[in-house]
Amino acid sequence: MTARRLRTGFAPAITATAAFILWAWYHLDFFRFTRPVPRADGSLVHFPNALASVDHPFHATRFDAFLHALANGHVPRWIFSHQGGYPTEFYPFGSSAVDLVVWAASLDQMSIPMVHTWAVALVFVLPAIGFFGIARLANLNPWIAAFATVGHMCVRGWWWSGGSYELIEWGLITNVLAAYLVFLALAGLARALDGGSNRWLGLVALLIGWAEVTNPRSALAVATILAAALIVWWTDSRRSTQSAWRLALPIVLGIGLAAPVLMPLFRYRDLYYFVPYQHYANLHAWWDSSVQAISTPFMILAIIGLPLALSRDATVIERMLAWSLIIYVAGTIYLLEIDWPSTLTEQLE
C-alpha cells in the first residue's frame, strides 16, 4: 500500500471506529441520562443514570468539591484519604481534568454524577488515539488500529487489568487514565525519536506530567518507555543525528511538571501506606492474570508479533513497543522474585 493510499485509507477506518464507539456507548447505557425509580406511594422520581459502583461516587464527589473550589477562586490542596489510607491530595488536576472538560462542554447542563460518567466514557476510548497513531507511524493498515480498538473495548479484563472491568465497574479511573496517558506518551516519544519536531517533545512532557499527577505510581511505566526509547536509540544506525538528551528531556520536564505532587509524597513517604490490593503469588499467577487481561487471542498475537517487532526492518514505534513489553515483563518478574526494594513493592497496587 502506498503512503498516499495509506493516508486516505484512515478516513473509513476512523469513521467505522467512531461508529463502533457510539454503539458501545449506547450499549453501555451512557446516552440515557435519567432513570425512573419508584417511590413508596407508587409514583416515579427520576435520578441521574450515572455510574455508581465502587469508587465512582467518590470521584464524582471529589470533582464536585474541585468545581466548588474553582468557583470560589482557589484550588483544593487536600482531599481526605479513602480506601484504607490511599492519599488523594494529588488528584485535583488528574482525572478531574477530564470531568472539568465534560462539565464545560455540557455548559453546566449535566448533573455532577453524569459529568463523571461521561468522563469515564471518554477515558475508556482514549487508547484509540494511540492505536491509530501507532498504525500511522508503523505504516500499518489503519483497519488494524480499528481492530485493536474493538478488542480493547470488548475484552473485559479484571479489576486491575485496565479494561472495562477496572474502569467502568470498579471506577478506578486514576489508575486507568494514567496508564493510557503513558501509552500515548510512548507513541509521541517514538515520533520524536523518528525525526519528529520538538513539538512532540512538549506533548510527551505534558502527557507524562499529567500521568504522574493522576497516579504517581505510573512513574514505573514512564521509566519503562524511557528505557525502551534509549535501547532503540542505541541500536539505531541513525543515532548519530539524534541526542539521547532529546529523549530524556520530555521525561525530565514531565516529572518536573509533577514535582509539586511527587516531592511531598517522597518527603513524607513514611506517613503514607498504599493498600496492596493484589500481589501475584508466583509467575504462573501473573501469567494467568495477563492472559485474562487481554484474552488468549490477543496474547497469541502479541507473542507472534514480538519477534517481528524486533527485526531489522521494524519501524521505530514497533521496536519501542517490543522493548517496552520486554522491560515490563522483566521488571514484573524481578519484583515477583526479588524482595528488594521492599519499600517500593509495598507501595504498588
Side-chain angles (χ1 to χ4, degrees), residues 1-16 132 135-136 139-143:
M1 181 181 290
T2 65
R4 182 176 180 180
R5 288 179 60 193
L6 183 63
R7 287 194 297 269
T8 56
F10 270 78
I14 292 175
T15 302
F132 278 96
R136 184 66 177 270
N139 296 320
L140 297 175
N141 190 307
W143 289 101

